[in-house]
């Protein structure tokens, strides 16, 4: 919160890096860009009025969906050999 107040006073538009995904967006943050850590990198989040009251982590996704595989790309099940005769 100290960094947000300092940036508002100076009028500077630098990115504030944070690891605090559980922090609530307050009205003083509107108009600032905050780099929210998603586990690998800091995702820049530009805060708007609609975000007030939400958590910062909601705007920096942690998982990347790469899509479903096509049926042709799936591996055929492996057939087992019959058990040896006793």
């Amino acid at each position: 919160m100290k960094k947000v107040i300092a940036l508002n006073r100076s009028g500077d538009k630098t990115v504030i890096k944070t690891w605090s995904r559980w922090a609530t967006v307050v009205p003083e943050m509107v108009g600032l860009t905050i780099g929210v850590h998603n586990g690998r990198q800091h995702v820049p989040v530009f805060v708007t009025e609609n975000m007030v009251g939400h958590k910062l982590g909601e705007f920096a996704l942690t998982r990347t969906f790469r899509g479903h595989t096509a049926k042709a790309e799936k591996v055929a099940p492996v057939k087992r050999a019959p058990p040896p005769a006793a």
Side-chain angles (χ1 to χ4, degrees):
M1 199 61 197
K2 292 178 185 178
K3 291 182 182 182
V4 171
I5 294 170
L7 274 180
N8 282 337
R9 287 184 184 164
S10 69
D12 194 13
K13 294 292 181 183
T14 59
V15 177
I16 301 173
K17 288 186 179 181
T18 184
W19 284 261
S20 179
R21 298 176 53 83
W22 54 269
T24 304
V25 177
V26 294
E28 290 82 16
M29 294 180 182
V30 173
L32 298 178
T33 302
I34 300 176
V36 183
H37 198 257
N38 71 350
R40 294 177 306 197
Q41 61 190 5
H42 290 278
V43 178
V45 175
F46 182 75
V47 180
T48 61
E49 291 181 14
N50 295 336
M51 296 178 182
V52 173
H54 291 269
K55 304 294 183 180
L56 286 174
E58 296 180 40
F59 307 107
L61 300 179
T62 57
R63 296 187 174 111
T64 305
F65 179 70
R66 301 194 194 281
H68 298 289
T69 58
K71 290 187 178 184
E73 294 177 15
K74 290 186 179 180
V75 178
V78 178
K79 294 183 180 179
R80 295 185 183 194

